[in-house]
Amino acid sequence: MSAATYSKVLINRLSWLRSSSSFLNAVVSIPATRWLVFKEGQPLLQTQASTKQSLARLTTNDVRPLLGPEPFFSQGQNAGELAPADVPKLAAARLRGTPVVFLGLHETGSAESANALPSSDFSAKASAETLLAHIDGTPYFSLDVSDVAPAEVDDVLHKSAAAQAGAELSFSEPRAAMGSFDAVETALFAEARSITDWNARNKHCPACGSPVYSIWAGWKLSCSSLLPWADNTGRKPCPTARGLHNFEHPRTDAVVVMAVLDESGDKILLGRNKPWPQGFYSCLSGFLEPGESFEDAVKRELWEEAGIKVWNVRYHSTLPWPFPSTLLTGFYATASSAEPLRTDLDNELEEARWYTREAILNVLNHTEGRTLTRRDQGSIFSGNDDSSSKVQGDSVPQMPTNAPPFKLPPLNMTAGVLISEWAHGRAGF
């Protein structure tokens, strides 16, 4: 899957309706609505005979036992109460029950023919009936069952329509699962896992330490000290009670991924991080730091990791990477292959080296050239130093005789796209 795949899929997030409790409570119950279920970051997948593994998309009837009492959004002080509509701090609030996020609408048609755009007929002020009349597609929610008793979850899954139709439902390691997703599933998964993970990680107000609660259908967190019925006797007002930044918003961490070419354009610089599996090489990368432009981050990271000076930094594409919530930003840059490489500055790399286009194409054309096992993925993405995968002695990894000379990232990673586009002469310059 290429980095551009995400941008080709239309998931209309309907962000202007995240505060509309009438719409949200109504859209939960329509037959077209589907639910993506997560448990400790793992997505629920379904497998049926003669079909590939895919995201399980349960109906509201399937998950209803896990949702708790109505209303589902804009919950009041007591169970079963609807919050007053004129209290912004309770807009689409979910104070109790399993964590839920409204993901948006997968519309019928393409991104160029979106139907549910903001208008007087489809706005937050419109009635629920009017809003539902404009739905043309599949509304999606995510549900996090990490804190639900396993027996209760198993019972719900066993009774689901998908299971009754013969599908096998199971939670799966997410990075391995991504390889089987189609374009729609990839876009839904990237959004759902990132926002679900953010809600799971953030339990307390960063300003005063009070518990937080969900508003705007899972897209904002508010301090519980701001609830209309909160008892704040003897406490200073929470700083989030005033100013523009009075909510906690989901974060996205930017990473620069760099394909460095030599001055001829026929060589590419790749490196090996110390924990990576034997024979795996990729582009260099690093996080954007505060007060830094993307271009400056590219130059800084390449100097720190490989001791090289680069110029002619060119943007290529971005890719949402929901582990937990990262935006991979791909760049090409130019450097001199005659200059020595250094990996002793931050000691992150085990090795960095230049490869010819011919060498890269040889790997890309090999059936195993971009195949990663689950163990490989674990050592690449977890950062664990697996001594069994480290190279001893020779700096050139010794691969089995039937394997490619080294391995490269697959096409569902930005580095894999950058390398492949350059090797096949499609980099755009």
Side-chain angles (χ1 to χ4, degrees):
M1 182 153 309
S2 73
T5 298
Y6 291 88
S7 62
K8 294 179 180 178
V9 178
L10 178 62
I11 304 298
N12 190 334
R13 301 192 179 195
L14 302 180
S15 59
W16 66 96
L17 292 177
R18 290 171 182 164
S19 60
S20 174
S21 60
S22 61
F23 167 74
L24 293 165
N25 286 319
V27 78
V28 164
S29 300
I30 68 174
T33 295
R34 292 295 181 267
W35 296 77
L36 307 184
V37 183
F38 289 84
K39 181 178 182 180
E40 298 177 351
Q42 295 189 333
L44 181 69
L45 304 185
Q46 71 175 47
T47 307
Q48 286 181 299
S50 73
T51 62
K52 68 175 184 178
Q53 202 172 49
S54 62
L55 278 175
R57 306 177 195 189
L58 303 187
T59 68
T60 299
N61 285 338
D62 292 333
V63 302
R64 182 63 184 82
L66 301 174
L67 298 182
E70 297 186 51
F72 304 121
F73 299 99
S74 290
Q75 296 174 339
Q77 182 176 4
N78 301 306
E81 291 181 353
L82 185 66
D86 58 350
V87 181
K89 295 294 183 182
L90 294 174
R94 187 164 171 83
L95 306 174
R96 57 190 65 88
T98 314
V100 168
V101 178
F102 175 59
L103 302 175
L105 178 69
H106 177 220
E107 294 189 289
T108 303
S110 64
E112 291 73 23
S113 62
N115 299 317
L117 298 176
S119 70
S120 59
D121 293 328
F122 199 70
S123 70
K125 295 182 179 180
S127 67
E129 291 76 14
T130 299
L131 295 170
L132 295 183
H134 286 76
I135 292 292
D136 184 14
T138 305
Y140 278 95
F141 289 84
S142 70
L143 178 67
D144 186 0
V145 299
S146 300
D147 295 329
V148 180
E152 186 177 352
V153 175
D154 290 343
D155 183 63
V156 167
L157 299 184
H158 177 73
K159 295 177 180 177
S160 68
Q164 295 301 310
E168 178 182 342
L169 300 176
S170 61
F171 293 96
S172 174
E173 198 287 320
R175 297 176 185 89
M178 285 181 65
S180 65
F181 292 166
D182 60 25
V184 173
E185 290 175 314
T186 301
L188 284 168
F189 173 74
E191 177 188 356
R193 191 186 189 280
S194 292
I195 189 67
T196 299
D197 182 88
W198 174 74
N199 276 276
R201 287 172 180 263
N202 296 275
K203 299 296 187 182
H204 294 87
C205 174
C208 75
S210 299
V212 294
Y213 63 95
S214 168
I215 62 174
W216 282 42
W219 287 90
K220 291 184 180 181
L221 296 175
S222 184
C223 179
S224 58
S225 71
L226 307 183
L227 288 167
W229 51 83
D231 182 3
N232 295 315
T233 304
R235 297 183 58 184
K236 292 182 179 180
C238 178
T240 62
R242 58 187 182 274
L244 294 176
H245 305 290
N246 55 353
F247 299 108
E248 188 174 354
H249 299 266
R251 61 179 289 174
T252 297
D253 300 316
V255 167
V256 288
V257 183
M258 300 84 70
V260 182
L261 311 179
D262 74 342
E263 293 163 297
S264 71
D266 289 326
K267 290 183 179 180
I268 189 169
L269 178 67
L270 301 179
R272 261 187 51 77
N273 279 29
K274 292 180 179 179
W276 286 358
Q278 177 181 350
F280 179 78
Y281 287 78
S282 184
C283 297
L284 278 59
S285 63
F287 281 95
L288 184 75
E289 294 192 347
E292 188 174 49
S293 70
F294 283 107
E295 292 82 0
D296 287 343
V298 168
K299 296 175 182 178
R300 174 185 56 79
E301 284 288 346
L302 289 168
W303 171 251
E304 291 174 355
E305 293 190 9
I308 59 170
K309 298 289 188 181
V310 300
W311 62 92
N312 195 20
V313 178
R314 293 146 288 174
Y315 165 78
H316 180 267
S317 60
T318 58
L319 177 72
W321 190 248
F323 305 105
S325 188
T326 302
L327 184 66
L328 303 180
T329 310
F331 292 89
Y332 289 100
T334 303
S336 171
S337 58
E339 297 297 322
L341 298 174
R342 292 184 57 184
T343 59
D344 60 336
L345 296 177
D346 65 3
N347 290 303
E348 183 174 333
L349 295 180
E350 184 175 73
E351 181 187 12
R353 57 165 52 197
W354 292 95
Y355 286 93
T356 65
R357 191 187 305 269
E358 180 182 6
I360 296 298
L361 286 173
N362 182 41
V363 173
L364 294 180
N365 292 330
H366 194 286
T367 55
E368 300 296 322
R370 289 178 292 194
T371 301
L372 299 177
T373 65
R374 289 186 179 230
R375 182 179 180 183
D376 291 342
Q377 293 171 348
S379 61
I380 292 170
F381 299 121
S382 69
N384 293 329
D385 193 347
D386 182 0
S387 60
S388 66
S389 69
K390 295 184 69 175
V391 181
Q392 304 295 331
D394 190 355
S395 62
V396 179
Q398 299 301 309
M399 304 288 284
T401 55
N402 61 338
F406 54 94
K407 285 191 175 185
L408 295 170
L411 284 175
N412 66 347
M413 298 171 61
T414 295
V417 174
L418 294 175
I419 294 169
S420 180
E421 293 293 280
W422 165 76
H424 292 101
R426 300 191 297 260
F429 51 84

